[in-house]
Amino acid sequence: MIIRTRFAAAVAACLATGAVMAAGPAVVSGPGENPACFKPWDASTKYFQWPAKKGPYRIALANGFVGNTWRIQMIKMAKAYAATPEMKPQIKEFKIVSTGTDVAAQIAAMDNFINSGYDAIVTIAVNPTAFAPVIKRANAAGIVVVPFDNVLDSTEVMMVNEDQTAMGAQSGEWLVKNIPSKSGRLLEVRGVPGNSVDRDRHLGFRKVVEAPGNKFEVVEVVGNWDDGTAQKAVADAVAVHKNFDGMYTQGGSTGSVRALIDAKHKMIPVAGEAENGFRKLCVERAKDGLLCTSMGQSPGLVAISMKAAVAALQGKVMPQLISVPIPTATHPDFKAGENYFPDLTDNFFTTNDFPPCGVTLKATDIMSKDEKNN
């Protein structure tokens, strides 16, 4: 009887401990740490606090898809930021793994980091809905997980992002403003299917251009946020439909515009991403009628996520959803050396500095790194 009672007590204690650990961070009152950098998404955003751990820390980047220049630059920036005087003393080990578009492979990589005792995992989720179980496992192990860019449909994990729905909506609003007839054929060049960024930008864009009073026909193609893929998709769309009155491209913007040029399509209003090549073409072809707005989803989100992970590990109070402003440049305000760079490659993304966070990496520091797993 005594042994059975002690066993029951031990089981109850284990279950109680597991329940506490599985709860993850405590929900606390704000304000949070450094609100100029870690800005809460809105007034309803809750705040998290993890138990403080002594550094330096083992941090992992569990990336998925790596087949475009944005992801490559993101990985390079992560490596460059990890080597800065600010971050280097905080990091005992920094591991990067890219697993492709397979959800199971990315979850397996995260489980491997959990089982290996890492302190924090920053990640771009392949799918916004499949990661709840692995988040619970990370919480149970006391590991801080920070999704960014393609975030999760969850309020139970700290995340970093720009407002993707707003970016799509703002692109749509700009196109409507610059097509006075509010009618005609638009080409929408989407990103990687299944990602929350692609979904949210698409929904924001369509809500605007399909609003009452607008009479647009929208042709939709998949560009995978990649110049080569987008260029072929746009070329095929032009071959079939002949004429477009405006274009919204989520990424691969340089390739999208090159396809118009190669097809000798008239220059039209184009709402695109922040690739350096796109902005160079916007300047070069403005005289021919190319009118552009360029809104950037910055690869530098990885640096903000790493910084947020360290702050959380130090026990700082953090917003559950951190809002990063959408950097925008619009004709005629493209300025060489400021928001585009004539001497840098076309595939360099132009938005990498976050002064409120102390993240100000030089392009040369970023591009000197590689995108390989380590």
Side-chain angles (χ1 to χ4, degrees):
M1 178 64 70
I2 293 175
I3 292 174
R4 188 174 297 171
T5 302
R6 286 176 177 171
F7 177 75
V11 169
C14 287
L15 290 173
T17 302
V20 171
M21 293 177 69
V27 177
V28 298
S29 298
E33 169 72 7
N34 190 0
C37 175
F38 305 126
K39 181 183 176 183
W41 196 263
D42 56 32
S44 67
T45 301
K46 60 185 177 182
Y47 291 85
F48 286 160
Q49 187 173 30
W50 284 260
K53 283 187 179 181
K54 185 178 180 181
Y57 307 107
R58 298 175 71 205
I59 298 176
L61 168 58
N63 181 48
F65 179 71
V66 75
N68 61 33
T69 54
W70 192 96
R71 292 293 182 102
I72 290 169
Q73 186 172 325
M74 179 275 295
I75 293 171
K76 291 181 177 184
M77 187 158 188
K79 291 182 176 182
Y81 186 56
T84 60
E86 176 193 8
M87 290 300 290
K88 190 173 182 179
Q90 303 290 346
I91 299 177
K92 181 179 181 180
E93 180 183 356
F94 185 50
K95 183 77 172 178
I96 296 175
V97 171
S98 295
T99 56
T101 57
D102 186 340
V103 174
Q106 190 178 32
I107 291 174
M110 293 178 68
D111 276 325
N112 185 55
F113 289 132
I114 292 168
N115 295 334
S116 299
Y118 278 73
D119 298 298
I121 303 169
V122 295
T123 184
I124 299 183
V126 171
N127 181 286
T129 61
F131 286 77
V134 75
I135 296 299
K136 288 182 179 179
R137 293 192 288 274
N139 283 339
I143 296 169
V144 176
V145 178
V146 188
F148 67 98
D149 184 47
N150 290 324
V151 294
L152 308 182
D153 292 337
S154 172
T155 60
E156 303 307 314
V157 62
M158 180 171 67
M159 299 188 288
V160 175
N161 207 8
E162 296 170 17
D163 189 333
Q164 304 304 317
T165 305
M167 189 180 294
Q170 289 171 22
S171 296
E173 288 164 0
W174 182 86
L175 279 176
V176 170
K177 178 181 177 181
N178 285 280
I179 302 175
S181 67
K182 294 181 171 46
S183 63
R185 184 180 293 128
L186 303 178
L187 180 57
E188 180 187 7
V189 185
R190 297 190 59 173
V192 175
N195 283 272
S196 62
V197 167
D198 170 72
R199 176 199 63 194
D200 294 348
R201 290 186 186 182
H202 165 74
L203 291 174
F205 174 72
R206 286 301 189 98
K207 184 176 181 180
V208 169
V209 300
E210 293 175 347
N214 295 332
K215 297 180 180 179
F216 292 108
E217 172 193 354
V218 183
V219 175
E220 183 179 311
V221 297
V222 174
N224 283 343
W225 303 318
D226 173 69
D227 277 330
T229 307
Q231 185 165 351
K232 184 179 186 309
V234 172
D236 290 346
V238 171
V240 172
H241 296 280
K242 308 304 180 187
N243 182 67
F244 291 97
D245 299 287
M247 179 167 66
Y248 168 46
T249 176
Q250 289 193 22
S253 312
T254 311
S256 297
V257 172
R258 282 180 177 153
L260 296 179
I261 294 169
D262 290 346
K264 295 181 172 52
H265 191 285
K266 67 179 181 181
M267 293 293 96
I268 56 177
V270 176
E273 247 280 358
E275 301 100 323
N276 195 44
F278 172 56
R279 291 187 176 186
K280 287 195 285 186
L281 287 173
C282 291
V283 173
E284 292 168 8
R285 297 282 176 160
K287 64 183 185 301
D288 303 321
L290 180 61
L291 191 63
C292 302
T293 189
S294 174
M295 300 183 191
Q297 174 81 340
S298 174
L301 288 173
V302 69
I304 309 304
S305 302
M306 292 164 65
K307 188 180 182 79
V310 168
L313 288 167
Q314 293 171 338
K316 306 291 179 60
V317 174
M318 302 295 293
Q320 180 268 319
L321 184 54
I322 296 169
S323 174
V324 177
I326 301 170
T328 304
T330 299
H331 175 85
D333 296 326
F334 294 107
K335 298 180 181 179
E338 184 174 320
N339 54 24
Y340 81 99
F341 304 90
D343 298 330
L344 294 182
T345 60
D346 287 353
N347 59 13
F348 181 75
F349 280 80
T350 56
T351 52
N352 296 288
D353 289 351
F354 297 90
C357 295
V359 177
T360 54
L361 289 173
K362 295 180 181 178
T364 51
D365 293 332
I366 298 168
M367 301 311 286
S368 67
K369 304 299 182 183
D370 62 51
E371 69 274 20
K372 296 177 182 178
N373 291 347
N374 62 357

